[in-house]
Amino acid sequence: MVCLQISLVTIFTDLGSEANEPTFLRKLKNEYGGRNADRHESQLARPRKQRDVDDFDDEPTYVDEESNDTITKAQYEAILKKEEQVTLEVQHAESLESMHGGTVTQGVVESVTKENLSRKGMVAAIGGTGKRRIAKAVGDDDLDHNGEESQQATTKVKRPTKKSKKIKLSFDDEVSGESPQTPVASRKSGHVFERRLIEAYISENGTDPVTNEELTVDDLIDLKSSHTVRPRPPTLTSIPSLLSVFQNEWDALALETYTLKQQLVQTRQELSTALYQHDAAVRVIARLSRERDEARDALSKITLNGGPVANGDSMQVDGQELSEALAAKVDATQEKLSKTRRKRAVPEDWADADIIQSLKSKKLSGPLYPGSRLLALDKSGDLALLGGADGVAGVFSVSQNEVLQTLKGGGGAISDGLWAGDRAVVATSTGHVKIFDDGSEVSSFPGHAGKAAAVALHPSGELLASVGVDKSYIFYDLESSKIATQVYTDSALTTAAFHPDGHLFAAGGTDGQIKVFDVKSGANVANFESSGPIQSLSFSENGTWLASVTEGENSVSIWDLRKAAQIKSLEIGSPVSSVRWDYTGQFLMAVGPSGVSVQQYSKASKEWTEILRSGSEAVTGEWGPRAQSIVTLGLDGSITEFTQS
């Protein structure tokens, strides 16, 4: 019973649904088997009309929208012709109306039949353009003034009313084609524009860009709109376009990366080349420096064949003459000093033997520069130039008993020094010769390959000499602050001195030779042999004698330049480290670790006499003004002065 009920309900439901279905659908179901597919073992194929390939026409199907009937193309074209005819007749009626004061004859109106006007042409082309043709009938009056039907009744044709232009609500600006950020509408054309663009267009042309009518800014209407979100470009609206964009970006990135890598490789190659060239240059410089030092060392080790010669004509290892200007100064100085030397009298206020015998020592300071071997007094005898092993030199005032200036030697111990006028000159163990003026360094000469052992000043005051352990001596032009010449010998040089006339230069070596050179030519004119390394040299003001001290000896050797031989050996009784003649050539001071000794030579008796001996140990000493005092440098770097009081 329940199953029967369900079946009846299903049947009535199906019948009710089929009754509501359209006629053409029911027809199709009855023709092709309906909904019950169980009646057929297999689905029947829809009958298809055999088409001739030659007669194949892919044209649209025309359907009358009013009756839903299919019509032919010829019927559709006939309807279109009727509509065009009606349109032409209406236009003709309007023209007659304008000519006859707004009325037309009944015959003209009858030509536009109600059948033609009532037909609205509700025809649609399925698969065609879909354009609908609609003709509207114009109404007429068939009654005359008597209420009877008249064939001459007139019909007024309504003139179409002029409609105002509606604003076109466009999503895009008519000028730029993009969504406007500040939209305005034109009163003339009704189109929407971007305010800044339409104002610029009006300022240039003064017309509407759509209708070309005259337009001003006052004709623009502001439109309120929400914030416009700019849509993505059309190329980014699909996955394939996005993939294409990403691929292009990847290709550009890969190309840029490749270009950067190429530039990096090129830069690395350039850097490598520059580093290689720099390394090669450094190696070449190092090799040349080494070869130079080896050449200097080889030159310095060359020995002289045949031993010393009496007239001083021995082989010179290296030499260079002075410039003509310096040679002229040397000649002028020699001529001036040599003429007056023998006739020069002893100054009246010069110290005699009694004054020197009465000198007493007085210690002026404690240790100032430990390890110092430098003591040089200026012309006034008040300023003492000192220097120590730490590379620092100083100017000490004897009268004020204090250090006035400190001079930086720039590294290495201070080995020797002197005063060149008001300028202090020091030699260092690094091979530099430095000149200071008022405490400031004004010149520096790195001429020696090793220690610059000693310096000496030419009597003209314009030529400076230095000797070094590199077996060379160097002349410096103080006026131009340049090296004038450098001469190499066969042994390391330890001390030096200029002849009082300035034409000879003597240098003591570690080989025990005193080498005498011509200042202008650099020629070695004489050699004096000693038993050991020469420690100190001093020329006498008489121009013929030279005193020397040999390291470790207790005597002072006196050499006669005219005879080229030793004429006297003064026994001091203790080791001597330094020797100095006074200005008159009468007194010779010998200083050593055991004390100070002053020897006097008498021209009348031609005898040497010791007039002063002191147990004050010293390294070196200098004569004070007019030989009225003596200043010595102690082993501990202290200053001691010998005076009468």
Side-chain angles (χ1 to χ4, degrees):
M1 191 68 177
V2 174
C3 295
L4 180 60
Q5 262 186 340
I6 294 173
S7 300
L8 292 175
V9 170
T10 305
I11 292 170
F12 285 118
T13 302
D14 293 340
L15 292 175
S17 61
E18 290 178 355
N20 294 330
E21 290 179 347
T23 303
F24 76 93
L25 184 58
R26 293 198 304 271
K27 183 178 178 181
L28 290 174
K29 286 184 178 181
N30 293 331
E31 183 177 356
Y32 298 107
R35 299 174 57 185
N36 190 2
D38 297 334
R39 293 181 302 168
H40 308 282
E41 295 180 0
S42 61
Q43 187 175 359
L44 298 177
R46 295 181 60 185
R48 297 181 181 271
K49 182 180 178 180
Q50 297 296 328
R51 293 186 179 182
D52 192 355
V53 179
D54 298 334
D55 297 334
F56 179 76
D57 186 11
D58 190 10
E59 291 187 354
T61 303
Y62 302 95
V63 179
D64 190 343
E65 291 184 355
E66 184 176 358
S67 62
N68 289 333
D69 294 334
T70 303
I71 62 177
T72 64
K73 183 177 180 181
Q75 293 174 344
Y76 175 70
E77 291 178 352
I79 293 173
L80 291 181
K81 287 183 179 180
K82 286 184 180 181
E83 290 181 359
E84 292 177 358
Q85 183 179 359
V86 171
T87 303
L88 293 175
E89 291 175 355
V90 171
Q91 292 178 353
H92 182 64
E94 289 179 353
S95 62
L96 292 178
E97 177 187 3
S98 61
M99 294 173 60
H100 295 85
T103 60
V104 296
T105 62
Q106 181 66 25
V108 176
V109 176
E110 288 178 353
S111 64
V112 185
T113 62
K114 291 183 180 181
E115 182 181 358
N116 294 333
L117 293 176
S118 62
R119 180 71 173 177
K120 297 181 180 179
M122 303 294 291
V123 179
I126 300 176
T129 61
K131 184 175 181 181
R132 300 179 63 185
R133 303 290 182 178
I134 302 175
K136 293 185 179 181
V138 180
D140 59 329
D141 296 333
D142 296 336
L143 300 178
D144 55 6
H145 293 286
N146 297 326
E148 295 180 356
E149 195 171 325
S150 174
Q151 295 183 0
Q152 296 180 355
T154 60
T155 303
K156 289 187 178 180
V157 180
K158 293 184 181 180
R159 183 175 299 178
T161 58
K162 185 177 181 181
K163 297 182 180 180
S164 61
K165 296 180 179 179
K166 297 182 180 180
I167 297 176
K168 179 184 177 182
L169 298 178
S170 174
F171 290 99
D172 296 331
D173 176 23
E174 293 295 337
V175 177
S176 64
E178 299 180 356
S179 299
Q181 298 296 320
T182 309
V184 293
S186 171
R187 295 180 185 271
K188 300 297 179 68
S189 64
H191 286 267
V192 179
F193 304 95
E194 174 69 37
R195 173 174 285 279
R196 61 180 181 84
L197 298 179
I198 190 61
E199 287 181 353
Y201 187 87
I202 291 173
S203 64
E204 276 187 32
N205 305 292
T207 60
D208 190 296
V210 178
T211 62
N212 290 329
E213 298 180 24
E214 185 177 354
L215 185 66
T216 63
V217 179
D218 297 334
D219 294 331
L220 301 178
I221 304 174
D222 292 328
L223 298 179
K224 294 183 179 180
S225 64
S226 60
H227 178 68
T228 303
V229 179
R230 295 182 181 271
R232 289 182 299 177
T235 56
L236 303 179
T237 55
S238 64
I239 292 179
S241 61
L242 288 174
L243 292 177
S244 177
V245 171
F246 292 154
Q247 182 65 41
N248 294 336
E249 290 293 333
W250 171 258
D251 294 342
L253 182 60
L255 180 60
E256 183 179 1
T257 304
Y258 176 73
T259 304
L260 290 177
K261 286 184 177 180
Q262 279 187 328
Q263 294 177 355
L264 178 60
V265 171
Q266 183 179 0
T267 304
R268 284 180 175 177
Q269 291 178 351
E270 293 177 356
L271 178 60
S272 176
T273 303
L275 291 176
Y276 175 78
Q277 292 176 351
H278 178 269
D279 183 67
V282 171
R283 291 176 181 272
V284 169
I285 292 173
R287 179 175 58 82
L288 292 177
S289 299
R290 184 174 63 255
E291 291 177 357
R292 180 202 63 187
D293 295 339
E294 291 175 355
R296 284 182 176 180
D297 185 66
L299 287 173
S300 63
K301 290 180 180 179
I302 296 177
T303 57
L304 300 178
N305 296 327
V309 183
N311 59 4
D313 293 334
S314 61
M315 186 185 72
Q316 178 184 342
V317 176
D318 192 9
Q320 180 180 354
E321 295 184 358
L322 291 179
S323 63
E324 294 182 0
L326 289 177
K329 292 180 181 179
V330 171
D331 290 337
T333 302
Q334 178 187 7
E335 183 179 0
K336 177 182 177 180
L337 296 178
S338 62
K339 286 182 179 180
T340 59
R341 183 169 307 283
R342 293 185 178 275
K343 299 179 180 179
R344 187 175 60 193
V346 176
E348 295 181 359
D349 56 349
W350 203 259
D352 54 14
D354 296 335
I355 295 177
I356 294 177
Q357 288 178 351
S358 63
L359 297 179
K360 304 296 182 182
S361 63
K362 177 183 178 182
K363 202 165 187 177
L364 298 180
S365 69
L368 296 176
Y369 300 95
S372 174
R373 300 186 62 84
L374 164 62
L375 173 64
L377 294 179
D378 66 346
K379 291 182 179 181
S380 65
D382 181 56
L383 299 180
L385 179 62
L386 308 173
D390 57 355
V392 179
V395 178
F396 179 81
S397 175
V398 177
S399 60
Q400 300 178 20
N401 195 14
E402 63 178 352
V403 177
L404 302 180
Q405 293 178 351
T406 300
L407 311 177
K408 299 292 184 179
I414 304 298
S415 55
D416 197 12
L418 54 82
W419 287 95
D422 296 332
R423 294 179 293 181
V425 180
V426 296
T428 66
S429 60
T430 60
H432 288 73
V433 175
K434 297 180 179 292
I435 301 176
F436 297 86
D437 190 0
D438 196 18
S440 301
E441 181 179 327
V442 295
S443 297
S444 179
F445 304 99
H448 291 284
K451 174 183 177 182
V455 289
L457 183 65
H458 191 265
S460 66
E462 298 181 6
L463 192 64
L464 178 69
S466 66
V467 295
V469 296
D470 60 349
K471 305 179 182 181
S472 71
Y473 70 85
I474 303 175
F475 288 163
Y476 308 92
D477 185 358
L478 295 181
E479 185 176 356
S480 62
S481 296
K482 294 182 180 179
I483 295 178
T485 184
Q486 184 172 11
V487 177
Y488 283 88
T489 64
D490 58 351
S491 65
L493 304 179
T494 57
T495 183
F498 275 101
H499 188 273
D501 292 341
H503 65 292
L504 296 178
F505 174 72
T510 55
D511 59 350
Q513 280 191 347
I514 302 173
K515 309 174 193 304
V516 182
F517 300 91
D518 182 84
V519 173
K520 294 188 298 181
S521 64
N524 186 198
V525 296
N527 288 330
F528 303 106
E529 291 288 342
S530 182
S531 59
I534 307 301
Q535 195 166 358
S536 179
L537 291 175
S538 179
F539 278 98
S540 172
E541 284 294 325
N542 61 17
T544 57
W545 289 353
L546 172 64
S548 66
V549 174
T550 302
E551 184 178 355
E553 295 291 334
N554 297 335
S555 61
V556 176
S557 299
I558 308 297
W559 305 87
D560 192 330
L561 299 178
R562 294 169 299 181
K563 299 178 181 179
Q566 179 178 348
I567 60 173
K568 183 66 178 179
S569 178
L570 297 176
E571 289 294 333
I572 305 300
S574 61
V576 180
S577 58
S578 176
V579 63
R580 292 289 185 273
W581 289 95
D582 76 325
Y583 176 71
T584 61
Q586 303 178 75
F587 307 110
L588 178 65
M589 175 178 59
V591 178
S594 299
V596 178
S597 174
V598 177
Q599 302 285 333
Q600 181 184 17
Y601 176 74
S602 173
K603 290 183 180 181
S605 61
K606 298 182 180 181
E607 295 291 337
W608 290 89
T609 306
E610 184 180 60
I611 59 176
L612 176 64
R613 175 175 287 273
S614 172
S616 177
E617 59 182 18
V619 176
T620 184
E622 292 286 341
W623 289 101
R626 301 180 305 279
Q628 300 283 341
S629 62
I630 297 174
V631 179
T632 61
L633 174 66
L635 296 176
D636 58 354
S638 60
I639 301 297
T640 301
E641 184 181 21
F642 291 81
T643 59
Q644 287 181 307
S645 57

